[in-house]
């Protein structure tokens, strides 16, 4: 219908996420670059762009270290969310200093080295508050923010390789959205998170893994109670107060980078969908039953991901279905899924892949894309829409396909 490009200095330009507000407008979070002719330094800005449904830009707001050229590039946004009033909450990281306002010290953040931040903007993109979150990482880190159904915020922050703590781990924080103050904070040791989701009832879902895949069991219960898991990857459910509800473990077999969770989302019935990528094979059903997702073994491209998986759990966290798409013949696609949305029974997947053929039809049929390195030297992106299954027909079985006997629509 329409398309837009933003900014003109492509090296520092990166879209982070886009969301639709309750006002029907689009909110785009990006990092954009600009050359400062006075300091001859390329500045990096946290940028919010609001557009109406026709693609008309309603406002563009940029925040960064405008008056501090030494710190122009030492910050980035990593995620954002909107509340029902279209207030904007942005998570990210910075090093040493972040000055979001040229004159108001309330929006200055300082850290001894590196830390994570939370910023609130009103629906017009104006600053409401900025908070340093006291994670103090050195290199590895992750920040995710979700608006919960009660209007407050769930934050997931990893401190990666922070040597000031006794062990590696991550923080789960409940934030009062009105003032940015903490309501509670939980901590899990010796673990690395990869994604955060908040369901329709305010329960928190975290995809994570043990920091040491070959180490001892890890405790995934953030309370004083112990709940040990020994497999490499897991999904963790907590209630809105951070109390343990459930955990599912995953492992995989074969060579290569095995499997990795990248996205968590929910449908209107509060079913949970977890997506990610994998190399060889793994059992998608964490119960005693088996639903194997299998790729062809290609040892000459074992360091990349061949397929995307999607796993569905019901509201009680029981496994329902799983399918895969991606690998086609003997090609090595290096395939990723970056976002998943469920709307009116349709499933939407957005991602990117390298120079290869990919099969985007998860049924027994083929729907292939191909990228030529001559035309697109850095690979390309894809959008996949899967139609709802026909409930009057039987489910697929035994062939790693998405209701293949029910003939889903791929478009």
């Amino acid at each position: 219908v329409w398309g837009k490009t933003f900014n003109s200095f492509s090296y520092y330009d990166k879209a982070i996420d886009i969301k639709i507000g309750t006002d029907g407008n689009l909110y785009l979070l990006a990092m954009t670059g600009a050359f400062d002719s006075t300091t001859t330094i390329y500045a990096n800005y946290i940028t919010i762009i609001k557009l109406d449904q026709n693609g008309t830009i309603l406002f563009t707001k940029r925040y960064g270290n405008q008056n501090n050229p030494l710190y122009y590039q030492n910050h980035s946004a990593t995620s954002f969310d909107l509340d029902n009033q279209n207030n904007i909450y942005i998570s990210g990281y910075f090093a040493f200093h972040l000055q979001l306002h040229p004159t108001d010290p309330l929006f200055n953040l300082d850290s001894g080295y590196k830390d994570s931040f939370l910023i609130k903007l009103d629906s017009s993109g104006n600053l409401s508050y900025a908070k340093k979150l006291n994670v103090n990482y050195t290199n590895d880190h992750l920040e995710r923010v979700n608006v919960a159904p009660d209007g407050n915020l769930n934050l997931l922050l990893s401190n990666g390789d922070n040597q000031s703590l006794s062990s590696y781990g991550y923080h789960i924080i409940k934030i009062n959205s009105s003032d940015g103050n903490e309501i509670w904070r939980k901590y899990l040791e010796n673990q690395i998170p990869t994604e955060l989701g908040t369901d329709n009832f305010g329960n928190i879902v975290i995809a994570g893994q043990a920091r040491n895949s070959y180490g001892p069991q890890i405790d995934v219960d953030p309370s004083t109670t112990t709940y040990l898991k020994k497999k490499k990857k897991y999904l963790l459910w907590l209630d809105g107060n951070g109390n343990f509800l459930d955990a599912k473990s995953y492992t995989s077999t074969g060579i290569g980078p095995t499997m990795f969770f990248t996205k968590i989302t929910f449908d209107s019935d509060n079913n949970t969908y977890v997506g990610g990528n994998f190399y060889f094979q793994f059992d998608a059903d964490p119960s005693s039953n088996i639903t194997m997702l299998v790729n062809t073994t290609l040892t000459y491209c074992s360091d990349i991901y061949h397929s995307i998986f999607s796993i569905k759990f019901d509201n009680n966290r029981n496994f329902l279905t799983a399918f895969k798409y991606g690998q086609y013949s003997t090609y090595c696609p290096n395939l990723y899924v970056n976002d998943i949305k469920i709307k009116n029974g349709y499933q939407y997947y957005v991602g990117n892949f390298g120079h290869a053929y990919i099969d985007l039809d998860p049924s027994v049929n083929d729907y292939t894309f191909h990228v030529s390195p001559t035309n697109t030297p850095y690979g390309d992106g894809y959008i996949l829409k899967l139609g709802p299954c026909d409930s009057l027909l039987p489910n697929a079985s035994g062939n790693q396909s998405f209701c293949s006997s029910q003939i889903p629509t791929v478009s």
Side-chain angles (χ1 to χ4, degrees), residues 73-91:
Q73 299 168 23
N74 293 345
H75 58 275
S76 180
T78 53
S79 77
F80 87 116
D81 207 354
L82 305 172
D83 65 18
N84 58 13
Q85 300 299 312
N86 299 308
N87 294 305
I88 303 163
Y89 302 90
I90 303 172
S91 70

Side-chain angles (χ1 to χ4, degrees), residues 89 110 130 167 230 237 240 278 408:
Y89 302 90
D110 292 287
S167 59
K230 65 179 180 179
W237 279 262
F278 73 105

Side-chain angles (χ1 to χ4, degrees), residues 36-324:
D36 188 325
S37 58
T38 302
T39 61
T40 65
I41 292 177
Y42 291 105
N44 202 19
Y45 293 101
I46 301 163
T47 305
I48 284 284
I49 303 170
K50 180 177 179 179
L51 308 95
D52 66 17
Q53 294 187 14
N54 296 315
T56 302
I57 296 177
L58 303 178
F59 69 70
T60 298
K61 299 284 186 174
R62 300 196 309 170
Y63 297 99
N65 287 313
Q66 294 98 327
N67 292 350
N68 292 271
L70 292 177
Y71 305 110
Y72 269 170
Q73 299 168 23
N74 293 345
H75 58 275
S76 180
T78 53
S79 77
F80 87 116
D81 207 354
L82 305 172
D83 65 18
N84 58 13
Q85 300 299 312
N86 299 308
N87 294 305
I88 303 163
Y89 302 90
I90 303 172
S91 70
Y93 64 90
F94 71 102
F96 301 109
H97 185 73
L98 180 60
Q99 183 177 9
L100 298 169
H101 192 281
T103 58
D104 192 339
L106 289 176
F107 301 106
N108 292 350
L109 302 178
D110 292 287
S111 174
Y113 185 34
K114 297 179 181 179
D115 211 325
S116 301
F117 65 74
L118 173 69
I119 299 169
K120 178 180 179 179
L121 309 177
D122 64 22
S123 59
S124 298
N126 300 311
L127 286 163
S128 296
Y129 59 70
K131 299 286 184 178
K132 183 181 73 169
L133 297 167
N134 299 312
V135 179
N136 301 316
Y137 65 90
T138 54
N139 288 309
D140 297 334
H141 62 95
L142 177 140
E143 301 87 14
R144 295 289 186 270
V145 60
N146 292 165
V147 176
D150 64 3
N152 290 318
L153 310 177
N154 294 328
L155 271 169
L156 179 65
L157 306 171
S158 72
N159 64 329
D161 54 1
N162 185 350
Q163 302 299 329
S164 66
L165 297 176
S166 59
S167 59
Y168 299 63
Y170 62 88
H171 304 253
I172 311 146
I173 309 172
K174 174 72 76 173
I175 297 287
N176 186 321
S177 60
S178 62
D179 57 17
N181 292 326
E182 288 189 20
I183 299 173
W184 51 258
R185 182 184 291 233
K186 310 282 185 177
Y187 183 72
L188 287 171
E189 296 183 338
N190 292 311
Q191 298 164 53
I192 301 170
T194 59
E195 193 50 85
L196 169 71
T198 301
D199 71 15
N200 304 329
F201 300 120
N203 297 316
I204 299 166
V205 185
I206 297 170
Q209 63 189 64
R211 178 176 172 268
N212 182 354
S213 299
Y214 303 99
Q217 295 185 100
I218 55 172
D219 179 12
V220 298
D221 188 340
S223 73
T224 55
T225 305
T226 299
Y227 192 91
L228 296 176
K229 286 293 181 182
K230 65 179 180 179
K231 294 186 178 179
K232 295 179 180 179
K233 311 290 173 67
Y234 65 81
L235 297 171
L236 171 64
W237 279 262
L238 307 174
D239 68 17
N241 294 314
N243 299 311
F244 177 85
L245 292 176
D246 201 355
K248 311 289 186 182
S249 295
Y250 284 92
T251 189
S252 54
T253 58
I255 59 177
T258 62
M259 52 94 70
F260 192 75
F261 297 112
T262 60
K263 196 64 184 177
I264 302 170
T265 194
F266 310 91
D267 63 20
S268 58
D269 295 322
N270 209 45
N271 297 308
T272 301
Y273 297 75
V274 183
N277 37 31
F278 73 105
Y279 165 65
F280 180 50
Q281 68 178 26
F282 76 102
D283 180 7
D285 187 344
S287 73
S288 57
N289 300 317
I290 295 175
T291 302
M292 292 298 296
L293 301 183
V294 181
N295 281 324
T296 303
T297 303
L298 301 173
T299 56
Y300 52 84
C301 54
S302 61
D303 60 336
I304 63 175
Y305 292 105
H306 290 189
S307 287
I308 301 301
F309 65 82
S310 180
I311 306 172
K312 180 180 179 181
F313 297 89
D314 67 18
N315 184 46
N316 295 312
R317 304 175 298 280
N318 298 309
F319 172 86
L320 292 177
T321 59
F323 65 87
K324 75 177 184 75

